Amino acid sequence: MEAQQNGTARVNGAARPAETPEQRSDPEGGQFSFSAEPSLEQIRRLQAEFTEERDWSQFHQPRNLLMALVGEVGEVAELFQWRGEVSEGLPGWSDSDREKVAQELSDVCIYLVELAEKCRVDLPQAVLRKMELNRRKYPASKVHGSAKKYTEYTD
Amino acid sequence: MEAQQNGTARVNGAARPAETPEQRSDPEGGQFSFSAEPSLEQIRRLQAEFTEERDWSQFHQPRNLLMALVGEVGEVAELFQWRGEVSEGLPGWSDSDREKVAQELSDVCIYLVELAEKCRVDLPQAVLRKMELNRRKYPASKVHGSAKKYTEYTD
Amino acid sequence: MEAQQNGTARVNGAARPAETPEQRSDPEGGQFSFSAEPSLEQIRRLQAEFTEERDWSQFHQPRNLLMALVGEVGEVAELFQWRGEVSEGLPGWSDSDREKVAQELSDVCIYLVELAEKCRVDLPQAVLRKMELNRRKYPASKVHGSAKKYTEYTD
Amino acid sequence: MEAQQNGTARVNGAARPAETPEQRSDPEGGQFSFSAEPSLEQIRRLQAEFTEERDWSQFHQPRNLLMALVGEVGEVAELFQWRGEVSEGLPGWSDSDREKVAQELSDVCIYLVELAEKCRVDLPQAVLRKMELNRRKYPASKVHGSAKKYTEYTD
């Protein structure tokens, strides 16, 4: 992957400006998608560099990272806590609140990646395997339109 | 990226078997890395297909997904709860426990991706921006080897 | 308080059957209250006995208990995750689901009490002090009817 | 209970100053206990008054309170996140860090009580019932000194 040879600057460079959320979705909100990069592996590598440059690896043991992950999920929850139901796309949220959501979800992602690394879990492949398990556990033909748990479907 | 042209089947296909964690790390554990795929966008798309096939989009509102994320983080915590300190690489853990960690971290990742999508957050790019903020907030020259918070370093 | 003199057996005894939630609230749901006992100290003591009888104190270090607390909060979240907004009193929930909520909230309470004990925090008194801080931080005259954070009120 | 007739002032009054954690434990730390008051019901009532005076009941629906609970557990986790293993009594922690722990655990307790109330769960009695279930699920004779889960004990 080219970006791995050219390093951070390429991935994060001005040559490939991030589109805004607005640019990425059509007016109906039906075509929203993520940018192709960075990949989970690129995030892992960038975070490893960040941690190494600060000599912070000594603190990044699995349970410390898990605590940090819990802390960041808590910060996401605080953004949603007094709002009642929130619709897809966060209609009515200010730009500032949207940016906070983006930042806190990013923190969750960064610690999740680092925790997986320290647990020697190949996160992208593990996700593929789990999705395959989910497809078998919740067959579309049986669970269509229902949120009931799998256990309630077994005869 | 080739997989994006060839679609889901290629990414998830038997033609590209996942390496085991053991294959991906050298004996010293220093060279562990994630597979290049699936990307966060590929995960997003696969999960959107999974949800649509089951007509579950109606349940996947932002706060429902956030609750699900909290539930999955709780399941990760349960795997670590009575173990005391755990070292990098989870030495001494059974294959079964390692597989559980892989599955629960995957669940966290899947719901994180879907929550970001419903919030219209371009997660990979948001992570890049947050990492840049972190680099400025914690300059390597000032925080080297210390876990103190940024606020304690100002002035 | 009578139960403190008579000890655990009295508190937990069949002689004082728990009222059902229905008995404790009037039709309008306005008069719901908790039973006077057990107190937080009685819960702490009962849980200490439970742990000691099983020789589990060795596992109940602060961070282990915090992980367990996170796990139990996750289980509460799983009960609420696909339901959309839920009104006070959980209208429409089955008796079985209500019992699950009661059990998971109880688990959160038990681990919270034990974590406070291991941190040498006198939880009931700490709660009183925190409530006093909250009263000063959010003066009724300034924040009436608004969920905005304190910081947004300071001139 | 006398305090319920005399109101908040009695429970929180200067006539009954809180002992410090130091006063409550002997040098070996073996005799630590909580104050007898406030009870969970007193906390519930005080918090209901606090919420009503601010007209905040409209925001305190079950899922909002659950989000708030998750946020506060996250704040506890942040206090423990980069510390590695922590022993009972938090040896070496500063008074300021201990006070933060006391405050965040208190916030967890306050939201837990309010969430239970909105779910019409008689929390103290539910805890008693759950403890009885736990005693039967983990018989002392079978699980002594082991952290294995109940399921691993069933033949």
Side-chain angles (χ1 to χ4, degrees):
Chain A
M1 204 180 294
E2 195 187 15
Q4 289 186 314
Q5 284 149 12
N6 294 345
T8 307
R10 171 62 184 77
V11 175
N12 199 13
R16 200 170 145 290
E19 297 172 87
T20 67
E22 285 69 34
Q23 289 173 308
R24 297 199 66 81
S25 60
D26 72 3
E28 286 80 41
Q31 299 298 320
F32 176 81
S33 63
F34 293 162
S35 297
E37 296 189 337
S39 67
L40 286 163
E41 166 58 13
Q42 288 169 328
I43 293 170
R44 186 202 63 75
R45 197 165 40 80
L46 287 168
Q47 179 65 7
E49 287 167 10
F50 173 83
T51 305
E52 214 170 290
E53 282 164 13
R54 282 152 190 79
D55 196 19
W56 281 356
S57 309
Q58 55 183 316
F59 304 116
H60 288 210
Q61 300 302 310
R63 301 225 311 178
N64 282 5
L65 290 165
L66 176 49
M67 295 272 177
L69 179 67
V70 170
E72 297 301 339
V73 169
E75 294 192 33
V76 177
E78 287 178 4
L79 297 173
F80 284 87
Q81 70 191 356
W82 303 126
R83 293 181 176 270
E85 202 47 38
V86 171
S87 298
E88 190 173 337
L90 315 184
W93 286 46
S94 69
D95 286 350
S96 156
D97 283 345
R98 287 167 185 278
E99 177 58 22
K100 281 180 202 160
V101 169
Q103 290 193 15
E104 299 307 340
L105 292 178
S106 297
D107 283 334
V108 173
C109 190
I110 292 167
Y111 284 127
L112 172 64
V113 162
E114 207 172 349
L115 176 56
E117 177 189 47
K118 301 300 185 194
C119 295
R120 297 288 180 272
V121 168
D122 182 356
L123 188 60
Q125 288 294 320
V127 166
L128 271 193
R129 286 200 311 271
K130 189 56 166 59
M131 283 178 150
E132 181 54 32
L133 284 177
N134 288 346
R135 271 189 290 268
R136 275 186 253 151
K137 196 174 172 186
Y138 305 97
S141 59
K142 280 190 122 179
V143 302
H144 197 267
S146 165
K148 281 189 196 169
K149 286 199 80 169
Y150 164 70
T151 49
E152 305 182 37
Y153 289 98
T154 54
D155 351 319
Chain B
M1 207 179 290
E2 195 187 12
Q4 289 187 314
Q5 283 149 11
N6 295 345
T8 308
R10 172 66 184 76
V11 175
N12 199 13
R16 197 169 148 288
E19 298 171 85
T20 67
E22 286 67 36
Q23 289 174 307
R24 297 200 65 81
S25 59
D26 72 3
E28 284 81 42
Q31 300 299 322
F32 176 82
S33 63
F34 293 162
S35 297
E37 297 187 336
S39 68
L40 287 162
E41 165 57 13
Q42 289 168 329
I43 293 170
R44 185 201 64 74
R45 195 161 40 81
L46 287 169
Q47 179 65 6
E49 288 166 11
F50 173 84
T51 304
E52 214 169 293
E53 283 165 11
R54 282 151 189 80
D55 195 20
W56 280 356
S57 309
Q58 54 184 316
F59 305 115
H60 287 210
Q61 300 302 312
R63 301 224 313 179
N64 281 6
L65 290 165
L66 177 48
M67 296 271 176
L69 180 68
V70 170
E72 296 301 338
V73 170
E75 294 193 34
V76 177
E78 287 178 2
L79 296 173
F80 284 87
Q81 71 191 356
W82 303 126
R83 294 180 175 271
E85 201 50 36
V86 171
S87 298
E88 189 173 338
L90 315 184
W93 287 46
S94 69
D95 285 351
S96 157
D97 283 344
R98 288 168 185 278
E99 178 57 21
K100 282 179 203 161
V101 169
Q103 290 193 17
E104 300 307 339
L105 292 178
S106 297
D107 283 335
V108 174
C109 189
I110 292 167
Y111 285 127
L112 173 64
V113 161
E114 207 173 350
L115 175 56
E117 178 189 46
K118 302 299 185 194
C119 295
R120 297 286 181 272
V121 168
D122 182 357
L123 188 60
Q125 288 293 319
V127 166
L128 272 193
R129 286 201 310 272
K130 189 55 165 61
M131 283 178 150
E132 182 54 34
L133 283 178
N134 288 346
R135 273 189 289 269
R136 277 185 251 150
K137 195 173 172 187
Y138 306 97
S141 59
K142 278 190 126 180
V143 302
H144 197 267
S146 166
K148 281 188 196 170
K149 287 199 78 167
Y150 166 70
T151 48
E152 306 182 37
Y153 289 100
T154 53
D155 11 321
Chain C
M1 206 180 290
E2 195 189 11
Q4 290 188 314
Q5 283 149 13
N6 294 345
T8 307
R10 173 65 183 76
V11 174
N12 200 12
R16 198 168 148 289
E19 296 172 88
T20 67
E22 286 68 36
Q23 289 174 306
R24 297 200 65 81
S25 58
D26 71 3
E28 285 81 42
Q31 299 299 321
F32 177 82
S33 62
F34 293 162
S35 296
E37 298 187 337
S39 68
L40 287 163
E41 166 57 13
Q42 288 168 330
I43 293 170
R44 185 202 63 75
R45 194 161 42 80
L46 287 169
Q47 178 65 5
E49 288 167 10
F50 173 83
T51 305
E52 213 169 293
E53 283 164 12
R54 282 151 189 79
D55 196 19
W56 281 356
S57 309
Q58 54 183 317
F59 304 115
H60 288 209
Q61 300 303 310
R63 301 225 312 180
N64 281 6
L65 290 165
L66 177 48
M67 296 272 176
L69 180 67
V70 170
E72 297 301 339
V73 170
E75 295 193 33
V76 177
E78 287 178 2
L79 297 173
F80 284 87
Q81 69 191 357
W82 302 127
R83 294 181 176 270
E85 201 50 36
V86 171
S87 297
E88 190 172 337
L90 315 183
W93 286 47
S94 69
D95 285 351
S96 158
D97 283 344
R98 288 168 185 278
E99 177 58 21
K100 282 180 201 159
V101 169
Q103 290 193 16
E104 300 307 340
L105 292 177
S106 296
D107 283 334
V108 173
C109 189
I110 291 167
Y111 284 128
L112 173 65
V113 161
E114 206 173 351
L115 176 55
E117 177 189 47
K118 302 300 185 194
C119 294
R120 297 287 180 271
V121 168
D122 182 356
L123 188 60
Q125 288 294 319
V127 166
L128 271 194
R129 287 201 309 272
K130 188 56 165 60
M131 284 178 149
E132 181 55 33
L133 283 177
N134 288 346
R135 273 188 288 267
R136 277 185 252 150
K137 196 173 172 187
Y138 305 98
S141 58
K142 280 190 122 178
V143 301
H144 197 266
S146 166
K148 282 189 196 170
K149 285 200 79 167
Y150 166 70
T151 48
E152 305 182 37
Y153 290 98
T154 53
D155 347 322
Chain D
M1 203 182 297
E2 196 188 13
Q4 290 187 314
Q5 284 148 11
N6 294 344
T8 308
R10 171 62 184 80
V11 176
N12 199 13
R16 199 170 147 289
E19 296 172 86
T20 67
E22 286 69 36
Q23 289 173 308
R24 297 199 66 79
S25 60
D26 72 4
E28 285 81 42
Q31 298 298 321
F32 176 82
S33 62
F34 293 162
S35 297
E37 296 189 336
S39 67
L40 286 163
E41 165 58 12
Q42 288 169 329
I43 293 170
R44 185 201 65 74
R45 196 164 40 81
L46 287 169
Q47 179 64 7
E49 288 167 10
F50 173 83
T51 304
E52 213 170 292
E53 283 164 13
R54 282 152 190 79
D55 195 19
W56 281 356
S57 310
Q58 55 184 315
F59 304 116
H60 287 210
Q61 300 303 310
R63 300 225 313 179
N64 281 7
L65 290 165
L66 177 49
M67 296 271 179
L69 180 68
V70 170
E72 296 301 339
V73 170
E75 294 193 34
V76 177
E78 287 178 3
L79 297 173
F80 284 87
Q81 71 191 356
W82 302 127
R83 293 179 176 271
E85 202 49 36
V86 171
S87 298
E88 189 173 338
L90 314 184
W93 286 47
S94 69
D95 285 351
S96 157
D97 284 343
R98 288 168 185 278
E99 177 57 22
K100 282 179 202 160
V101 169
Q103 290 193 14
E104 300 306 340
L105 292 178
S106 297
D107 283 334
V108 173
C109 190
I110 292 167
Y111 284 127
L112 172 65
V113 162
E114 207 173 350
L115 175 56
E117 178 189 46
K118 301 300 185 194
C119 295
R120 296 289 180 270
V121 168
D122 182 356
L123 188 60
Q125 288 294 320
V127 166
L128 271 193
R129 286 200 311 270
K130 189 55 166 61
M131 282 177 151
E132 182 54 33
L133 283 177
N134 288 345
R135 271 189 290 267
R136 276 185 252 151
K137 195 174 174 187
Y138 305 97
S141 59
K142 279 190 124 180
V143 303
H144 197 266
S146 166
K148 281 188 196 170
K149 288 197 79 168
Y150 166 69
T151 49
E152 305 181 38
Y153 288 97
T154 53
D155 349 319

